[in-house]
Amino acid sequence: MARTPSTRTKNTATAKKTAPKKAPRTRKTTPPPLTLVNPPRPRLTRRPTHWMTDLQGYATLAARLAGITTPHIQAWQDHQDGTTTRPLDDGSHLHYTQATRTLRWHTPCPMGAVHEYVLRTPADTDTAQADVADCTRLHWTPPPNNTGTHLTARLQAAVKAAADTQPMSIREIADGITARADNDQPKGHPQP
């Protein structure tokens, strides 16, 4: 038997024919963005927040309960110490203290002094406004009884009222009843 070339060698011989080479692929590269074409985005400026602090909310509510409308809640300046202040259009200002939950109104009177009032209800506000409007006393000269300002006079009246309502001991009550019994005279019925 004669040997015939194997098919394996034929295939390898034909496979050695070179295929045409392809050109290498080029990668697309993008150039960096130019600042003239694509300017950088401007940094956003810090906008004022539209939030309110708790203290500003409490002060607005206290003013509303006193009959004063303060539409711009952020107009209350929070002092970060439990107090907040808000100027009013007439030159006066409101001051709220969180610890005591009091709203105070500081207002100049026609005579040049600054009056302070604690406002809790609309009646307090009306009374304070009337008191300031009716103030005709010169504040830089002491009044005849040397009591100082309206506030001093009111404080003295409050101290006197507090002294009149102090608790009494049983002995003081018994002495008071005995003194009354000695001075009281029976009164007759009125005649028709």
Side-chain angles (χ1 to χ4, degrees):
M1 279 205 161
R3 277 188 167 198
T4 57
S6 73
T7 56
R8 189 176 245 188
T9 54
K10 270 187 182 178
N11 287 342
T12 52
T14 56
K16 286 189 177 181
K17 288 184 187 176
T18 58
K21 291 189 174 182
K22 294 183 180 177
R25 287 187 175 179
T26 59
R27 291 186 180 173
K28 287 186 178 181
T29 58
T30 57
L34 298 175
T35 58
L36 295 176
V37 178
N38 296 325
R41 297 181 79 185
R43 297 182 108 193
L44 295 177
T45 58
R46 185 170 175 90
R47 295 180 187 158
T49 59
H50 296 288
W51 301 101
M52 65 177 192
T53 64
D54 289 342
L55 192 59
Q56 289 172 326
Y58 296 143
T60 302
L61 178 61
R64 185 70 187 119
L65 291 174
I68 301 170
T69 303
T70 56
H72 303 289
I73 295 175
Q74 289 183 330
W76 287 92
Q77 181 183 3
D78 191 345
H79 301 291
Q80 303 298 322
D81 63 352
T83 63
T84 183
T85 307
R86 184 187 197 291
L88 298 176
D89 294 335
D90 61 356
S92 64
H93 66 273
L94 297 171
H95 183 79
Y96 180 76
T97 305
Q98 175 63 29
T100 58
R101 292 188 172 96
T102 55
L103 178 68
R104 297 183 188 282
W105 181 44
H106 299 261
T107 183
C109 76
M111 301 308 289
V114 175
H115 293 267
E116 178 182 324
Y117 299 96
V118 175
L119 305 178
R120 291 187 178 93
T121 64
D124 292 343
T125 304
D126 294 340
T127 303
Q129 288 173 341
D131 189 41
V132 168
D134 294 340
C135 184
T136 57
R137 188 168 51 86
L138 296 175
H139 293 285
W140 53 84
T141 59
N145 60 2
N146 294 328
T147 57
T149 63
H150 292 295
L151 184 59
T152 305
R154 289 181 182 168
L155 286 174
Q156 288 176 348
V159 168
K160 184 180 181 304
D164 291 343
T165 60
Q166 294 300 317
M168 297 173 63
S169 68
I170 295 176
R171 183 72 185 153
E172 291 173 329
I173 294 172
D175 290 343
I177 292 173
T178 304
R180 277 193 185 162
D182 292 342
N183 295 336
D184 284 344
Q185 298 296 327
K187 297 182 181 169
H189 293 283
Q191 297 298 324

